[in-house]
């Protein structure tokens, strides 16, 4: 307890509401697996490096149904991971060299907790921001940055990997590009098809690997309709799908077969983050190399036991049923409550929203821009002090070491997935009170610093 008269509302925490977790379905899946001697033994013992084959087969079938690529997804294109974050670290272990790989290029605003993963792999000081507009990543900005990076590498004699030997099952990319293309965390934007195609073309030109976190894709609904109907087809093809088929495909003549994109998938948002189980999809050569990361080679397939439970959830149809009858309608309802409150209360105050004309929305978050001269750092501090309301200020989502003065200073992220439905509108009402006070203070020439006393939000559940 913090002694505040109002109950805490946390709009920063990017977690699923505990009431939406498929506990009954998991209980049935685990009971079936653990009561079967063959399935339980397989789950409790070491598994093959690419992971549980049955799960790879089930994922291939489900992802084919959802993304509807030009050709079915072969299960050999998939390996099992310990979740999207663990898998990102493994990708860097196998496919980057902290000297030869020039830079990490991150769409800004970014999922900021990814920065530490890149830094732990030797890239401190070499993370580069790439801004986005309403169509997604700024391709020309990225291209200019890549060109300059290549000129710098040439002048420094950086022509081959120094620390990572080339093995038959891996390669070292010159650049890594990181993005969340669909219902992005934090900006909630969806990258257009044209930008995805352009991104693949640039990645091929500059020997870059595009790593996409595709973890929110299935959490989607129609933006305007109050009548819910499940959406069982992706709003856009993944970048990895475009790399697979576009302009000759990832395994076109003259290419090395590893491709230039990998899709990072996870059960965290559709089952529960405690599962710590996910998957990667890329070319067969890429997936084979990824599954040979040193940690996997030593410990064998990650999440082998939980993978057996996920296999049963998919094979039984219970996961898809949960997704389309519980998660999508519940999050659609939550989104509508919050977005209606924002339009009723905050938009008249000058708040603006990105991609306001899109017909399909999704994910966990809503991204907003404050009117000048309000600043999000002041808003976040004042909201916590005066309204016991925690929001995420835009400065949290800058790229470490490459954040420009004034960048993201008016942006705010709020999450509608975690808190209870009955306080969603109240949360925006409280935020409106804070904005109103700040605007009144500004109108009377009062400095924002006089309204707030700086302190750090502690353990708010960053995601």
């Amino acid at each position: 307890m913090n002694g505040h008269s109002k109950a805490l509302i946390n709009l920063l925490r990017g977690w699923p509401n505990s009431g939406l977790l498929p506990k009954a379905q998991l209980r049935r899946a685990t009971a079936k697996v653990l009561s079967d001697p063959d399935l339980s033994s397989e789950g409790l013992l070491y598994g093959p490096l690419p992971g549980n084959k049955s799960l790879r087969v089930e994922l291939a079938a489900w992802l084919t149904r959802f993304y509807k690529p030009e050709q079915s997804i072969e299960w050999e294109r998939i390996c099992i991971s310990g979740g999207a974050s663990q898998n990102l670290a493994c990708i860097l272990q196998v496919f980057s060299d902290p000297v030869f790989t020039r830079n990490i290029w991150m769409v800004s605003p970014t999922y900021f907790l990814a920065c530490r993963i890149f830094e732990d792999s030797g890239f401190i000081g070499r993370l580069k921001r790439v801004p986005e507009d309403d169509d997604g990543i700024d391709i020309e900005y990225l291209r200019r940055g890549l060109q300059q990076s290549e000129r710098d590498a040439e002048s420094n004699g950086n022509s081959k990997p120094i620390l990572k030997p080339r093995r038959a099952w891996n390669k070292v990319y010159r650049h890594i590009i990181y993005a969340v293309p669909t219902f992005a965390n934090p900006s909630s934007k969806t990258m257009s098809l044209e930008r995805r195609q352009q991104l693949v073309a640039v990645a091929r030109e500059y020997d870059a690997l595009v790593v996409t976190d595709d973890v929110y894709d299935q959490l989607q609904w129609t933006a305007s309709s109050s009548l819910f109907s499940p959406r069982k087809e992706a709003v856009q093809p993944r970048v990895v799908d475009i790399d697979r088929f576009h302009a000759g495909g990832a395994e076109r003549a003259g290419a090395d077969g590893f491709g230039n994109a990998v899709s990072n998938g996870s059960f965290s948002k559709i089952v529960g983050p405690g599962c710590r189980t996910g998957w990667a999809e890329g070319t067969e050569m890429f997936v084979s190399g990824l599954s040979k990361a040193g940690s996997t080679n030593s410990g064998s397939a990650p999440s082998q036991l939980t993978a057996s439970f996920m296999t049963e959830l998919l094979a039984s149809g219970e996961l898809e049923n949960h997704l389309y009858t519980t998660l999508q309608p519940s999050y659609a309802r939550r989104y509508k409550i919050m977005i209606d409150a924002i339009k009723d209360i905050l938009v008249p105050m000058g708040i603006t929203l990105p991609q306001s004309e899109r017909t399909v929305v999704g994910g966990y978050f809503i991204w907003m821009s404050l009117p000048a001269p309000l600043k999000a750092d002041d808003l976040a501090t004042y909201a916590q002090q005066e309204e016991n309301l925690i929001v995420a200020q835009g400065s949290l989502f800058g790229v470490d070491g490459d954040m420009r003065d004034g960048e993201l200073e008016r942006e705010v992220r709020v999450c509608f997935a975690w808190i209870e439905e009955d306080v969603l509108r109240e949360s925006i009402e409280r935020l409106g009170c804070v904005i109103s006070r700040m605007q009144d203070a500004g109108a009377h020439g009062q400095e924002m610093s006089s309204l707030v006393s700086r302190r750090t939000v502690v353990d708010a559940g960053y995601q």
Side-chain angles (χ1 to χ4, degrees):
M1 297 295 291
N2 59 12
H4 204 285
S5 61
K6 295 183 178 180
L8 174 68
I9 299 179
N10 189 341
L11 297 182
L12 187 156
R13 176 167 284 176
W15 294 10
N17 183 276
S18 58
L20 299 178
L21 301 175
K23 299 171 186 176
Q25 295 91 327
L26 271 172
R27 186 164 52 247
R28 289 190 288 271
T30 55
K32 180 171 181 178
V33 169
L34 295 177
S35 63
D36 185 307
D38 293 332
L39 293 178
S40 59
S41 293
E42 181 184 31
L44 287 164
L45 292 172
Y46 293 113
L49 296 185
N52 184 300
K53 178 181 174 181
S54 296
L55 180 54
R56 296 165 71 198
V57 170
E58 291 293 341
L59 278 168
W62 174 49
L63 296 175
T64 296
R65 290 194 296 274
F66 182 72
Y67 288 107
K68 293 181 168 52
E70 294 177 24
Q71 299 174 19
S72 296
I73 298 168
E74 300 95 348
W75 63 268
E76 294 91 345
R77 288 178 51 86
I78 295 170
C79 67
I80 306 305
S81 74
S85 296
Q86 180 262 4
N87 192 50
L88 178 57
C90 287
I91 289 170
L92 295 170
Q93 289 166 15
V94 177
F95 294 105
S96 75
D97 179 300
V99 176
F100 177 74
T101 302
R102 287 83 160 105
N103 292 104
I104 307 295
W105 305 87
M106 306 180 74
V107 176
S108 177
T110 195
Y111 170 55
F112 65 104
L113 291 179
C115 293
R116 174 81 67 83
I117 302 173
F118 292 119
E119 290 174 343
D120 284 352
S121 292
F123 293 100
I124 292 177
R126 289 189 290 137
L127 309 187
K128 297 294 184 181
R129 63 183 282 279
V130 184
E132 65 176 352
D133 57 25
D134 267 5
D135 284 326
I137 187 170
D138 185 332
I139 294 294
E140 291 312 309
Y141 185 101
L142 174 63
R143 184 186 296 278
R144 290 193 299 272
L146 290 166
Q147 289 171 344
Q148 183 60 53
S149 182
E150 284 303 309
R151 286 193 291 268
D152 293 343
E154 183 178 359
S155 66
N156 293 327
N158 186 7
S159 59
K160 63 180 180 180
I162 301 298
L163 302 178
K164 298 284 185 74
R166 177 65 194 269
R167 301 182 172 99
W169 40 265
N170 85 323
K171 68 167 287 184
V172 175
Y173 290 86
R174 294 172 183 263
H175 301 272
I176 305 291
I177 303 169
Y178 174 78
V180 186
T182 303
F183 314 131
N185 178 7
S187 73
S188 72
K189 295 178 182 178
T190 295
M191 192 184 299
S192 71
L193 175 60
E194 182 180 13
R195 290 290 172 87
R196 294 173 193 234
Q197 293 170 338
Q198 291 171 342
L199 180 56
V200 168
V202 169
R204 291 176 179 176
E205 182 180 354
Y206 288 94
D207 188 29
L209 173 66
V210 182
V211 182
T212 59
D213 275 350
D214 297 319
V215 299
Y216 299 102
D217 293 26
Q218 290 83 14
L219 301 178
Q220 56 173 350
W221 48 89
T222 303
S224 58
S225 176
S226 58
L227 298 175
F228 172 80
S229 59
R231 289 190 56 86
K232 300 182 179 182
E233 182 175 347
V235 66
Q236 291 283 11
R238 294 167 299 173
V239 175
V240 76
D241 297 318
I242 294 170
D243 188 42
R244 183 183 176 194
F245 298 111
H246 186 63
E251 299 174 79
R252 63 198 178 280
D256 58 23
F258 286 95
N260 291 90
V262 57
S263 173
N264 211 2
S266 177
F267 290 103
S268 291
K269 304 300 186 289
I270 54 178
V271 177
C275 291
R276 307 317 311 147
T277 306
W279 64 92
E281 183 187 335
T283 68
E284 289 186 33
M285 285 181 63
F286 186 95
V287 165
S288 176
L290 178 58
S291 69
K292 293 178 176 66
S295 57
T296 305
N297 191 54
S298 172
S300 198
S303 300
Q304 177 71 354
L305 180 60
T306 307
S308 65
F309 304 151
M310 297 302 102
T311 302
E312 178 57 28
L313 277 180
L314 276 169
S316 67
E318 291 220 65
L319 179 55
E320 286 183 86
N321 184 63
H322 177 68
L323 175 62
Y324 298 130
T325 65
T326 298
L327 294 184
Q328 281 193 1
S330 296
Y331 287 132
R333 187 168 60 248
R334 288 164 164 272
Y335 171 85
K336 189 172 191 321
I337 292 170
M338 181 172 275
I339 200 70
D340 285 351
I342 290 171
K343 290 178 179 179
D344 291 345
I345 300 167
L346 303 187
V347 169
M349 295 180 172
I351 295 292
T352 56
L353 299 162
Q355 295 186 329
S356 58
E357 301 303 316
R358 59 183 167 168
T359 58
V360 179
V361 293
Y364 275 10
F365 306 106
I366 295 174
W367 186 249
M368 301 180 286
S369 297
L370 300 173
L374 302 188
K375 295 186 178 181
D377 284 348
D378 293 331
L379 176 71
T381 305
Y382 194 32
Q384 186 171 1
Q385 291 177 353
E386 297 299 315
E387 293 290 338
N388 211 17
L389 175 71
I390 299 176
V391 298
Q393 65 269 33
S395 59
L396 284 175
F397 305 102
V399 174
D400 284 0
D402 194 28
M403 191 166 175
R404 308 300 167 87
D405 289 342
E407 183 184 11
L408 307 178
E409 68 178 1
R410 305 197 195 287
E411 317 320 313
V412 177
R413 190 198 77 175
V414 292
C415 176
F416 52 83
W418 169 247
I419 65 173
E420 299 301 328
E421 278 189 38
D422 59 3
V423 295
L424 284 166
R425 187 172 182 88
E426 180 187 345
S427 70
I428 301 304
E429 291 171 348
R430 291 194 199 182
L431 192 59
C433 288
V434 175
I435 293 172
S436 179
R437 291 173 197 150
M438 293 176 71
Q439 289 179 326
D440 287 346
H444 290 88
Q446 188 176 358
E447 292 290 334
M448 292 301 108
S449 58
S450 67
L451 294 177
V452 300
S453 59
R454 298 290 181 193
R455 60 192 178 94
T456 302
V457 176
V458 178
D459 192 25
Y462 288 164
Q463 282 293 334

